[in-house]
Amino acid sequence: MNQTPEDFLAGLRAAKLVAIVRGTDRDAATAAALALMEEGFRYVEVALTTPDAPAAIAAIRASAPPGALVGAGTVLSVADVKDVVAAGAQFIVTPALADSIREAARRDLPVLAGALTPTEVHEGMNRGATLVKLFPAFIGGPRYVKALLDPFPSVPLVAVGGVGAADAAAYWDAGAAAVGPGSPLVGDAASPGGDLDALRARARDYLRTAAGHPRVDG
């Protein structure tokens, strides 16, 4: 199942969560991503800094439960976009204003474009981003999200970087469309010998927080 950028935006707003898996081992990253999906995460990204990331994406795509989408993160170049699309990625995420944004938009592929400053937020949307990934969000916190949305009320922001389960509600209250937990969620689970049971417990914490938070359409 693929989603148009419009459907992806609506789906991510409803889910309020996108998981970020940055592993040190392909098989461990695959297992971690699938565990997150089994617990109820609908959107899971695997960073290209993970060894053999395209193979992990392909394996996740083949085994993902219905309704769960796998994306590729740290996608920087046009060649990266081609590689991850061939592997089956259903959305991409960038850490910065990279060439990959326009290429993904050209392919009608949902893209979360990395940005931090107001100028970067504006430019990310101009390049065709579906949402803007505010990274690293912990630098400014929820107050910074709210400040950015004053001049850009229609820009869907995803707060990424240091967002724990206890922090998520403050970002949603500030107007973020979603949050993207990485290490606070995944921990050591994407490395050999990592604790998948602990990952599943943390995943349930995030999902309970999202389910209990009133949805605010924007």
Side-chain angles (χ1 to χ4, degrees):
M1 176 192 72
N2 288 324
Q3 289 185 337
T4 65
E6 294 76 17
D7 288 342
F8 181 88
L9 172 57
L12 188 51
R13 280 192 183 279
K16 299 194 282 285
L17 293 165
V18 53
I20 299 168
V21 176
R22 188 181 300 277
T24 61
D25 175 82
R26 178 192 66 190
D27 293 339
T30 299
L34 289 172
L36 288 167
M37 290 177 171
E38 289 162 6
E39 291 299 330
F41 271 79
R42 290 182 57 203
Y43 300 93
V44 178
E45 162 211 334
V46 176
L48 288 188
T49 52
T50 302
D52 244 351
I57 290 166
I60 296 161
R61 177 74 187 268
S63 299
L69 276 67
V70 59
T74 322
V75 178
L76 296 171
S77 67
V78 171
D80 286 342
V81 176
K82 293 176 180 176
D83 289 344
V84 300
V85 167
Q90 293 157 293
F91 64 95
I92 73 160
V93 185
T94 80
L97 296 177
D99 293 342
S100 52
I101 299 169
R102 284 199 175 98
E103 177 63 15
R106 185 186 71 80
R107 292 169 176 261
D108 210 27
L109 183 68
V111 53
L112 282 69
L116 180 62
T117 67
T119 298
E120 291 169 353
V121 169
H122 180 68
E123 179 61 18
M125 295 304 291
N126 277 347
R127 294 189 186 194
T130 310
L131 303 98
V132 170
K133 173 183 123 176
L134 185 64
F135 174 78
F138 70 82
I139 287 178
R143 291 178 60 190
Y144 187 54
V145 170
K146 187 176 185 303
L148 281 174
L149 289 173
D150 284 343
F152 301 118
S154 64
V155 174
L157 296 177
V158 180
V160 175
V163 182
D167 308 313
Y171 283 100
W172 295 323
D173 288 341
V179 299
S183 56
L185 167 63
V186 177
D188 67 356
S191 298
D195 191 339
L196 286 177
D197 289 337
L199 168 68
R200 289 178 181 274
R202 290 189 296 270
R204 290 193 289 271
D205 285 342
Y206 278 96
L207 290 163
R208 277 193 296 267
T209 300
H213 191 272
R215 178 179 172 183
V216 179
D217 291 311

